[in-house]
Amino acid sequence: VTSLLSESGCYSVVLKARELVFASFFLTLERFPAWQVGVQRRKCEMSTMFADTLLIVFISVCTALLAEGITWVLVYRTDKYKRLKAEVEKQSKKLEKKKETITESAGRQQKKKIERQEEKLKNNNRDLSMVRMKSMFAIGFCFTALMGMFNSIFDGRVVAKLPFTPLSYIQGLSHRNLLGDDTTDCSFIFLYILCTMSIRQNIQKILGLAPSRAATKQAGGFLGPPPPSGKFS
Amino acid sequence: MSGGRRKEEPPQPQLANGALKVSVWSKVLRSDAAWEDKDEFLDVIYWFRQIIAVVLGVIWGVLPLRGFLGIAGFCLINAGVLYLYFSNYLQIDEEEYGGTWELTKEGFMTSFALFMVCVADNFTASHLDHLLHCHPL
């Protein structure tokens, strides 16, 4: 799949983008006098690092938009999904209001009614998740290929410096495939995961695609934000 | 039952599930604004947390504030500022929204991740400036 992506030009596009970002930083280094060559070389490394940082944020935004785009094409625009979502939100709000008004001394009949409504909501949530399953597979396949490509581009590269030393069990991720013992060096995968965690949910909220809180609450996370797709997103 | 003064307002239109219209933001700094729609208010809290995360991430990265003190400081400031906002300034009844904990955790993890990204970016960028003042080799 990685070779497929290479052939399609994806690989060369990302490398070209990296070159452009680096070139813009190198232009600022020309004013340094010759005896600061050592500092200049180090500054080149840091410029490269900062350019990588910005590129990874950009990649994260693009992949989040891609994931939402795929989901929109396969799921969000279908009538079945729209109908199910409206039904789930309506039932969730209704159930939430009922639960707020019910007391300990409420009759058995009322409690049974609530149980029936909860069961109905659970079934609708399950159907909604099944509808989403298509996009999950498509996104998973797509992202596994993309991640393979990005990992090979950024393999062994320090893409950012962290102002703290991560906990030991997180260092396996933050210092993945990096040489040296400096644990403040950040690898691609750690930065990408952080970017995705922050950017994806914000993009969903901005586009109005995030599930409603009532639905999420009643489903107990079953109908939460779309589950992570691919290996690392 | 919210404390403080409350003015009755016509319901404000809101975009679906998380995006906010400009009219909502005009209510944000008014301590006497009425919040009929709970989701609307929770969205305001959510976006405020993201803004705080970006601002603190830039400041912490540029200073720089190293170690877990910076992370702890972010958590305290993020939770504290929003708590003061909805508890003291707006005088919202927290029980209407599920309690102080529900309001505190609204958007917290996303803002934390955003803070980490901003800190890493700005710390990396600020290293460039630091090297400008290095002694010649």
Side-chain angles (χ1 to χ4, degrees), chain A residues 94-121:
Chain A
K94 208 169 152 188
L95 193 58
E96 206 177 319
K97 276 200 176 80
K98 250 196 167 62
K99 279 184 173 176
E100 277 170 11
T101 53
I102 200 163
T103 60
E104 283 298 317
S105 56
R108 250 184 65 183
Q109 219 174 2
Q110 268 198 323
K111 287 184 180 169
K112 267 206 164 329
K113 203 173 173 187
I114 286 180
E115 272 173 28
R116 269 201 304 269
Q117 280 183 341
E118 277 179 348
E119 189 63 34
K120 204 172 162 190
L121 180 61

Side-chain angles (χ1 to χ4, degrees), chain A residues 20-172:
Chain A
L20 283 169
V21 174
F22 297 161
S24 62
F25 283 101
F26 294 160
L27 282 172
T28 61
L29 304 182
E30 286 172 5
R31 58 190 177 96
F32 285 100
W35 52 263
Q36 277 192 332
V37 165
V39 173
Q40 189 173 358
R41 194 181 303 128
R42 181 77 179 119
K43 195 170 166 74
C44 277
E45 288 170 18
M46 296 303 299
S47 301
T48 307
M49 192 188 299
F50 186 53
D52 274 341
T53 308
L54 292 181
L55 189 59
I56 290 167
V57 172
F58 178 70
I59 287 169
S60 182
V61 171
C62 291
T63 51
L65 288 171
L66 176 67
E68 291 308 308
I70 292 174
T71 312
W72 183 79
V73 166
L74 296 177
V75 177
Y76 293 151
R77 64 177 187 159
T78 59
D79 290 331
K80 187 174 181 186
Y81 176 82
K82 286 180 192 171
R83 183 179 46 81
L84 275 171
K85 190 179 174 192
E87 191 63 35
V88 163
E89 286 188 14
K90 196 173 85 179
Q91 284 176 353
S92 303
K93 285 198 160 79
K94 208 169 152 188
L95 193 58
E96 206 177 319
K97 276 200 176 80
K98 250 196 167 62
K99 279 184 173 176
E100 277 170 11
T101 53
I102 200 163
T103 60
E104 283 298 317
S105 56
R108 250 184 65 183
Q109 219 174 2
Q110 268 198 323
K111 287 184 180 169
K112 267 206 164 329
K113 203 173 173 187
I114 286 180
E115 272 173 28
R116 269 201 304 269
Q117 280 183 341
E118 277 179 348
E119 189 63 34
K120 204 172 162 190
L121 180 61
K122 208 165 101 178
N123 290 335
N124 279 334
N125 274 332
R126 194 183 51 226
D127 293 341
L128 201 55
S129 292
M130 294 305 291
V131 170
R132 268 205 177 126
M133 200 79 72
K134 281 192 287 192
S135 79
M136 279 163 52
F137 281 122
I139 290 170
F141 177 75
C142 206
F143 274 58
T144 303
L146 280 173
M147 283 304 110
M149 181 183 74
F150 290 133
N151 270 326
S152 64
I153 292 173
F154 293 102
D155 190 38
R157 295 188 72 87
V158 177
V159 298
K161 292 290 280 182
L162 301 171
F164 59 92
T165 302
L167 298 169
S168 51
Y169 53 85
I170 295 179
Q171 281 174 24

